[in-house]
Amino acid sequence: MYKNFLRSSLTLALLISGFGYIKADNQHTITIGSENRSYKLYIPKDCPQGSPLVIAMHGAGGNSGNQSPRFNEIADSEKFIVAYPQGGQMFFPVFGGYTTGWDATGEDNTEAAFLKAIIDDVAENYGINRKRVYCCGFSNGGMNTYAMANACSDVFAAFASISGFPLNEFHLQHTGKRPVPFLHIHGKGDDFVHYRLMPTIVDEMVARMGADPVPEKSGVKGVYDKSVYAATDGSFPFVYYEIDGMGHNDFTTNTEDGNSSLTMWRFFQQYTLDMPCDTTLKWMPRIERKGFVADQHGWTVNSGDTLFSFGHDGKTDANQNVYHSLQLTDGHYKLTFHAEGETGKKIGVKLQNLMNSKIVLNATVAVGDDRPLYFNIDNEDFAQYKISFTRENVSDVISISDIQLRTINKEDY
C-alpha cells in the first residue's frame, strides 16, 4: 500500500494540472526474478498522459547514462517518453571478455522480461499509450531490437535499428508472432558490424514480412540511399537506409530529416500495435515479382534437377553467422505454392534443418496440384532450414510462384 502511495504521489508531483508532466531525467530500478535491473527515464516538459513510449538500447560496453540512440531532443518537441535500459554483463568473444550488453538471441528470455517490466513500470506511473510503444537500439542494442521483433512482436508497435543486426553468438531468428514494421540505418563505412552483410539481413526480413522484394529507391548522392520494401496485404514495410560517410555510430545527420533519431521517430509514429496484419504469415519470398532476380538473393535457380532452393552455408568467421536460411520455431505449418508446366510432371519439395540435417518435410506433388503441404516442427534447436523444389528431369520446364508459409492451429494439422 505504501509503495502504491509513493508511486501515486510521484505521479501527482510530476504532473502540472491541465498541461502534463514536468521534465524528468531519472534512474529507476526494477526487479526481474532475483535480479535488480535499471533504466533511465526521460520525460519532456508538458508531456501529456497517454503519450507514446520509446525504448532505446545502448551498444555493448555502454550504459543507460549514454542515452543512446539519442532521443531526448526529439522527445522534447514531439512529446513522448523515452526509457534507456541498462544492459547486463555479457561475455562478448569480439571483446575477449565481459561487458554490458544484451542477450540478443531472439528468444523470449530475461531481456524480453526486462523490457516488458519497464513498460509496465512506466505505464503504472505515467499512463502511457500501450498501443504506441516502440523499440530501437544501437549496435548490440540494435541486435536486441531484432531479437525483440521476434520475442516481443506483440508488445511493440514498430522497431528500428542503427548499426546493429544479429551476428556471431546471437543466432539468426526471424519468426515472431506477427509481421512487424522495421527500419534499419547502417553506415556504408561500418567495418565492425559489417555493412557488407546487410543484404542478407534485408532479404531475410523482407521475406519474413511478405513485403515487396523490389524496393522503391530514393536518396541523395553522396549522402544516403533509401530503400522502401513496401507492405503488401497483411504485412508491414521494411525500410533500409545506407549512409555515406558513416561508420559504426549511433547517430547521423545523413537522412532526409537531418537527424537519424527523428527519422526513426517519424517511422514509429505511423504505427500502432492494433493495426491489422496476418499473424499466420511466416515467410513469403515473392520470387516471381518482376524485377526480382532470385539468384542474387540467396536462391539457387534452375541448377540441374533443382528448380529453386533457398538456405545454405552456416556460421563462419567471414559471414559472422549471417547467412541465407529460413528460420522457423516449433509449431504447425502449412506450405502453399503454385506450379505451372506440363500436366503430370512431378515436383519434389523438401525442408531440411541446416544444423542437424533432419528433414521435416519431404513430399512429391504434381504440376497443377496446389493443395497445401502440412508439417510439424518440434524440439528443434537453432531452427535454420533449407527449402528446395526439384524436378524429376533436367529437361522439365516448370515454374514456381506464390510460395507462402503460414502457421496453423494444431487441430487443423
Side-chain angles (χ1 to χ4, degrees):
M1 180 180 293
Y2 183 63
K3 181 179 179 182
N4 290 337
F5 172 76
L6 287 177
R7 283 182 168 174
S8 298
S9 299
L10 175 63
T11 301
L12 288 171
L14 287 171
L15 273 170
I16 299 176
S17 179
F19 293 95
Y21 293 102
I22 64 173
K23 187 172 183 176
D25 192 358
N26 303 315
Q27 199 78 13
H28 295 253
T29 300
I30 53 179
T31 301
I32 309 298
S34 60
E35 184 181 10
N36 288 331
R37 300 288 298 266
S38 66
Y39 68 95
K40 194 159 191 176
L41 190 67
Y42 184 80
I43 304 175
K45 181 181 178 181
D46 296 339
C47 190
Q49 287 186 297
S51 295
L53 170 66
V54 172
I55 290 184
M57 293 175 285
H58 62 76
N63 59 71
S64 58
N66 298 150
Q67 297 185 316
S68 170
R70 315 171 197 182
F71 277 97
N72 293 4
E73 181 182 344
I74 309 303
D76 285 338
S77 60
E78 299 291 329
K79 303 305 178 189
F80 59 88
I81 297 174
V82 191
Y84 297 98
Q86 172 67 52
Q89 286 293 310
M90 288 279 300
F91 181 80
F92 289 87
V94 68
F95 300 131
Y98 284 85
T99 189
T100 52
W102 309 96
D103 187 14
T105 64
E107 299 170 331
D108 192 0
N109 58 12
T110 55
E111 304 292 18
F114 178 34
L115 298 193
K116 286 187 277 191
I118 290 174
I119 296 168
D120 289 341
D121 196 50
V122 178
E124 183 175 352
N125 288 304
Y126 308 106
I128 59 170
N129 185 342
R130 297 293 290 254
K131 294 179 181 178
R132 299 190 66 203
V133 181
Y134 307 103
C135 181
C136 65
F138 160 62
S139 190
N140 181 229
M143 297 172 193
N144 203 41
T145 298
Y146 274 92
M148 293 304 104
N150 302 324
C152 295
S153 63
D154 56 344
V155 174
F156 297 101
F159 300 81
S161 173
I162 183 165
S163 305
F165 56 71
L167 51 78
N168 284 342
E169 59 269 33
F170 308 116
H171 207 80
L172 214 66
Q173 291 188 30
H174 296 314
T175 39
K177 294 181 180 178
R178 68 173 186 119
V180 297
F182 206 108
L183 178 143
H184 189 110
I185 299 172
H186 218 95
K188 294 180 181 180
D190 193 341
D191 290 327
F192 186 65
V193 179
H194 292 299
Y195 163 71
R196 62 180 171 77
L197 298 176
M198 271 305 300
T200 300
I201 299 294
V202 173
D203 287 340
E204 303 285 3
M205 291 298 289
V206 169
R208 160 66 185 102
M209 290 187 284
D212 188 336
V214 179
E216 179 182 339
K217 290 183 173 288
S218 60
V220 177
K221 187 176 181 179
V223 182
Y224 70 90
D225 296 303
K226 178 182 179 182
S227 298
V228 178
Y229 298 84
T232 54
D233 289 345
S235 74
F236 292 108
F238 183 86
V239 180
Y240 176 39
Y241 285 84
E242 301 164 80
I243 308 298
D244 290 274
M246 177 183 173
H248 191 67
N249 298 311
D250 70 344
F251 180 81
T252 180
T253 58
N254 284 4
T255 67
E256 68 264 52
D257 305 299
N259 183 311
S260 53
S261 296
L262 180 58
T263 297
M264 287 189 269
W265 168 248
R266 286 181 172 170
F267 178 76
F268 288 156
Q269 66 180 353
Q270 301 174 76
Y271 302 102
T272 60
L273 190 59
D274 56 355
M275 283 183 165
C277 64
D278 183 355
T279 58
T280 70
L281 176 63
K282 298 303 170 187
W283 194 64
M284 187 184 295
R286 301 182 185 273
I287 56 176
E288 69 279 6
R289 171 71 161 89
K290 185 178 180 181
F292 181 71
V293 183
D295 59 8
Q296 295 178 6
H297 297 271
W299 290 82
T300 298
V301 181
N302 284 326
S303 176
D305 65 351
T306 297
L307 291 165
F308 285 101
S309 71
F310 181 85
H312 54 83
D313 296 335
K315 178 179 176 179
T316 68
D317 290 339
N319 70 20
Q320 293 189 283
N321 206 34
V322 176
Y323 54 90
H324 286 102
S325 65
L326 173 57
Q327 301 94 31
L328 301 173
T329 53
D330 288 357
H332 307 283
Y333 293 89
K334 176 177 72 174
L335 173 67
T336 58
F337 64 94
H338 178 65
E340 291 187 356
E342 185 179 345
T343 303
K345 292 292 183 179
K346 302 293 185 181
I347 303 166
V349 184
K350 182 185 291 186
L351 190 68
Q352 185 172 22
N353 190 318
L354 286 169
M355 312 307 293
N356 60 20
S357 299
K358 180 179 178 180
I359 297 173
V360 297
L361 173 66
N362 193 5
T364 301
V365 299
V367 170
D369 185 354
D370 288 349
R371 286 178 296 179
L373 298 174
Y374 298 94
F375 63 93
N376 179 60
I377 293 176
D378 187 33
N379 296 322
E380 293 292 303
D381 293 328
F382 302 126
Q384 310 287 307
Y385 291 89
K386 175 181 180 179
I387 189 169
S388 58
F389 300 85
T390 58
R391 53 193 168 195
E392 290 183 302
N393 302 298
V394 174
S395 60
D396 292 344
V397 179
I398 303 170
S399 63
I400 303 290
S401 62
D402 199 23
I403 301 170
Q404 300 185 26
L405 188 59
R406 301 175 183 275
T407 54
I408 58 172
N409 296 322
K410 182 177 181 180
E411 55 268 24
D412 298 325
Y413 180 65

mmCIF file of all heavy atoms in Angstrom, residues 230-249:
data_model
loop_
_atom_site.group_PDB
_atom_site.id
_atom_site.type_symbol
_atom_site.label_atom_id
_atom_site.label_comp_id
_atom_site.label_asym_id
_atom_site.label_seq_id
_atom_site.Cartn_x
_atom_site.Cartn_y
_atom_site.Cartn_z
ATOM 1 N N ALA A 230 7.927 -2.216 -49.673
ATOM 2 C CA ALA A 230 6.575 -1.826 -49.288
ATOM 3 C C ALA A 230 5.769 -2.981 -48.710
ATOM 4 O O ALA A 230 5.951 -4.148 -49.082
ATOM 5 C CB ALA A 230 5.845 -1.242 -50.496
ATOM 6 N N ALA A 231 4.875 -2.618 -47.818
ATOM 7 C CA ALA A 231 3.947 -3.594 -47.257
ATOM 8 C C ALA A 231 3.007 -4.108 -48.338
ATOM 9 O O ALA A 231 2.640 -3.381 -49.267
ATOM 10 C CB ALA A 231 3.138 -2.961 -46.135
ATOM 11 N N THR A 232 2.645 -5.358 -48.227
ATOM 12 C CA THR A 232 1.598 -5.935 -49.063
ATOM 13 C C THR A 232 0.487 -6.384 -48.127
ATOM 14 O O THR A 232 0.541 -6.161 -46.920
ATOM 15 C CB THR A 232 2.150 -7.110 -49.882
ATOM 16 O OG1 THR A 232 2.779 -8.045 -49.003
ATOM 17 C CG2 THR A 232 3.183 -6.622 -50.888
ATOM 18 N N ASP A 233 -0.555 -7.022 -48.643
ATOM 19 C CA ASP A 233 -1.699 -7.396 -47.825
ATOM 20 C C ASP A 233 -1.267 -8.204 -46.612
ATOM 21 O O ASP A 233 -0.608 -9.245 -46.745
ATOM 22 C CB ASP A 233 -2.703 -8.214 -48.646
ATOM 23 C CG ASP A 233 -3.435 -7.371 -49.681
ATOM 24 O OD1 ASP A 233 -3.373 -6.133 -49.563
ATOM 25 O OD2 ASP A 233 -4.040 -7.949 -50.597
ATOM 26 N N GLY A 234 -1.627 -7.721 -45.437
ATOM 27 C CA GLY A 234 -1.354 -8.440 -44.208
ATOM 28 C C GLY A 234 0.047 -8.260 -43.656
ATOM 29 O O GLY A 234 0.405 -8.902 -42.669
ATOM 30 N N SER A 235 0.869 -7.392 -44.277
ATOM 31 C CA SER A 235 2.253 -7.245 -43.846
ATOM 32 C C SER A 235 2.579 -5.785 -43.536
ATOM 33 O O SER A 235 1.715 -4.905 -43.586
ATOM 34 C CB SER A 235 3.206 -7.786 -44.913
ATOM 35 O OG SER A 235 3.275 -6.894 -46.017
ATOM 36 N N PHE A 236 3.849 -5.533 -43.240
ATOM 37 C CA PHE A 236 4.358 -4.193 -42.976
ATOM 38 C C PHE A 236 5.625 -3.966 -43.798
ATOM 39 O O PHE A 236 6.231 -4.914 -44.299
ATOM 40 C CB PHE A 236 4.668 -4.024 -41.483
ATOM 41 C CG PHE A 236 3.458 -4.031 -40.607
ATOM 42 C CD1 PHE A 236 3.181 -5.116 -39.788
ATOM 43 C CD2 PHE A 236 2.578 -2.957 -40.602
ATOM 44 C CE1 PHE A 236 2.064 -5.135 -38.975
ATOM 45 C CE2 PHE A 236 1.446 -2.961 -39.793
ATOM 46 C CZ PHE A 236 1.195 -4.050 -38.977
ATOM 47 N N PRO A 237 6.076 -2.720 -43.912
ATOM 48 C CA PRO A 237 7.272 -2.447 -44.716
ATOM 49 C C PRO A 237 8.563 -2.674 -43.946
ATOM 50 O O PRO A 237 8.608 -2.650 -42.713
ATOM 51 C CB PRO A 237 7.116 -0.966 -45.063
ATOM 52 C CG PRO A 237 6.405 -0.397 -43.879
ATOM 53 C CD PRO A 237 5.433 -1.473 -43.456
ATOM 54 N N PHE A 238 9.633 -2.889 -44.697
ATOM 55 C CA PHE A 238 10.995 -2.829 -44.177
ATOM 56 C C PHE A 238 11.667 -1.667 -44.888
ATOM 57 O O PHE A 238 11.688 -1.617 -46.122
ATOM 58 C CB PHE A 238 11.746 -4.133 -44.445
ATOM 59 C CG PHE A 238 13.133 -4.159 -43.860
ATOM 60 C CD1 PHE A 238 13.339 -4.544 -42.547
ATOM 61 C CD2 PHE A 238 14.235 -3.801 -44.623
ATOM 62 C CE1 PHE A 238 14.619 -4.569 -41.993
ATOM 63 C CE2 PHE A 238 15.515 -3.829 -44.082
ATOM 64 C CZ PHE A 238 15.700 -4.207 -42.764
ATOM 65 N N VAL A 239 12.209 -0.720 -44.116
ATOM 66 C CA VAL A 239 12.835 0.478 -44.674
ATOM 67 C C VAL A 239 14.318 0.453 -44.319
ATOM 68 O O VAL A 239 14.686 0.268 -43.152
ATOM 69 C CB VAL A 239 12.182 1.761 -44.131
ATOM 70 C CG1 VAL A 239 12.858 2.997 -44.723
ATOM 71 C CG2 VAL A 239 10.683 1.765 -44.460
ATOM 72 N N TYR A 240 15.160 0.644 -45.325
ATOM 73 C CA TYR A 240 16.607 0.492 -45.141
ATOM 74 C C TYR A 240 17.344 1.725 -45.647
ATOM 75 O O TYR A 240 17.215 2.105 -46.811
ATOM 76 C CB TYR A 240 17.073 -0.760 -45.888
ATOM 77 C CG TYR A 240 18.560 -1.012 -45.869
ATOM 78 C CD1 TYR A 240 19.331 -0.775 -44.741
ATOM 79 C CD2 TYR A 240 19.201 -1.520 -47.006
ATOM 80 C CE1 TYR A 240 20.697 -1.018 -44.740
ATOM 81 C CE2 TYR A 240 20.562 -1.776 -47.004
ATOM 82 C CZ TYR A 240 21.305 -1.523 -45.867
ATOM 83 O OH TYR A 240 22.653 -1.772 -45.871
ATOM 84 N N TYR A 241 18.126 2.347 -44.748
ATOM 85 C CA TYR A 241 18.978 3.476 -45.097
ATOM 86 C C TYR A 241 20.435 3.031 -45.124
ATOM 87 O O TYR A 241 20.933 2.447 -44.155
ATOM 88 C CB TYR A 241 18.854 4.595 -44.063
ATOM 89 C CG TYR A 241 17.587 5.407 -44.145
ATOM 90 C CD1 TYR A 241 16.422 4.967 -43.529
ATOM 91 C CD2 TYR A 241 17.559 6.636 -44.811
ATOM 92 C CE1 TYR A 241 15.257 5.718 -43.579
ATOM 93 C CE2 TYR A 241 16.396 7.394 -44.872
ATOM 94 C CZ TYR A 241 15.251 6.924 -44.251
ATOM 95 O OH TYR A 241 14.099 7.675 -44.310
ATOM 96 N N GLU A 242 21.135 3.352 -46.219
ATOM 97 C CA GLU A 242 22.574 3.130 -46.336
ATOM 98 C C GLU A 242 23.230 4.505 -46.356
ATOM 99 O O GLU A 242 22.987 5.293 -47.258
ATOM 100 C CB GLU A 242 22.877 2.351 -47.609
ATOM 101 C CG GLU A 242 22.181 0.990 -47.682
ATOM 102 C CD GLU A 242 22.177 0.421 -49.079
ATOM 103 O OE1 GLU A 242 23.216 -0.147 -49.479
ATOM 104 O OE2 GLU A 242 21.147 0.545 -49.776
ATOM 105 N N ILE A 243 24.051 4.772 -45.320
ATOM 106 C CA ILE A 243 24.528 6.127 -45.083
ATOM 107 C C ILE A 243 25.973 6.298 -45.534
ATOM 108 O O ILE A 243 26.879 5.590 -45.088
ATOM 109 C CB ILE A 243 24.421 6.487 -43.589
ATOM 110 C CG1 ILE A 243 22.998 6.216 -43.067
ATOM 111 C CG2 ILE A 243 24.813 7.939 -43.373
ATOM 112 C CD1 ILE A 243 21.913 7.019 -43.730
ATOM 113 N N ASP A 244 26.193 7.261 -46.434
ATOM 114 C CA ASP A 244 27.548 7.610 -46.856
ATOM 115 C C ASP A 244 28.277 8.321 -45.717
ATOM 116 O O ASP A 244 27.677 9.095 -44.965
ATOM 117 C CB ASP A 244 27.498 8.528 -48.086
ATOM 118 C CG ASP A 244 27.020 7.799 -49.321
ATOM 119 O OD1 ASP A 244 27.851 7.192 -50.007
ATOM 120 O OD2 ASP A 244 25.808 7.833 -49.598
ATOM 121 N N GLY A 245 29.579 8.048 -45.591
ATOM 122 C CA GLY A 245 30.393 8.747 -44.617
ATOM 123 C C GLY A 245 30.133 8.361 -43.176
ATOM 124 O O GLY A 245 30.588 9.052 -42.253
ATOM 125 N N MET A 246 29.440 7.266 -42.948
ATOM 126 C CA MET A 246 29.113 6.829 -41.585
ATOM 127 C C MET A 246 29.759 5.485 -41.309
ATOM 128 O O MET A 246 29.656 4.564 -42.116
ATOM 129 C CB MET A 246 27.600 6.726 -41.408
ATOM 130 C CG MET A 246 27.155 6.219 -40.051
ATOM 131 S SD MET A 246 25.343 6.058 -39.982
ATOM 132 C CE MET A 246 25.125 5.254 -38.390
ATOM 133 N N GLY A 247 30.426 5.389 -40.165
ATOM 134 C CA GLY A 247 30.974 4.120 -39.716
ATOM 135 C C GLY A 247 30.043 3.484 -38.702
ATOM 136 O O GLY A 247 28.831 3.446 -38.902
ATOM 137 N N HIS A 248 30.615 2.999 -37.609
ATOM 138 C CA HIS A 248 29.822 2.335 -36.570
ATOM 139 C C HIS A 248 29.402 3.374 -35.531
ATOM 140 O O HIS A 248 30.076 3.585 -34.520
ATOM 141 C CB HIS A 248 30.621 1.206 -35.934
ATOM 142 C CG HIS A 248 29.800 0.327 -35.053
ATOM 143 N ND1 HIS A 248 28.802 -0.494 -35.548
ATOM 144 C CD2 HIS A 248 29.807 0.138 -33.697
ATOM 145 C CE1 HIS A 248 28.243 -1.148 -34.546
ATOM 146 N NE2 HIS A 248 28.828 -0.769 -33.413
ATOM 147 N N ASN A 249 28.281 4.027 -35.789
ATOM 148 C CA ASN A 249 27.825 5.142 -34.950
ATOM 149 C C ASN A 249 26.355 5.006 -34.597
ATOM 150 O O ASN A 249 25.602 4.291 -35.269
ATOM 151 C CB ASN A 249 28.046 6.473 -35.676
ATOM 152 C CG ASN A 249 29.497 6.745 -35.971
ATOM 153 O OD1 ASN A 249 30.346 6.619 -35.084
ATOM 154 N ND2 ASN A 249 29.801 7.084 -37.214
#
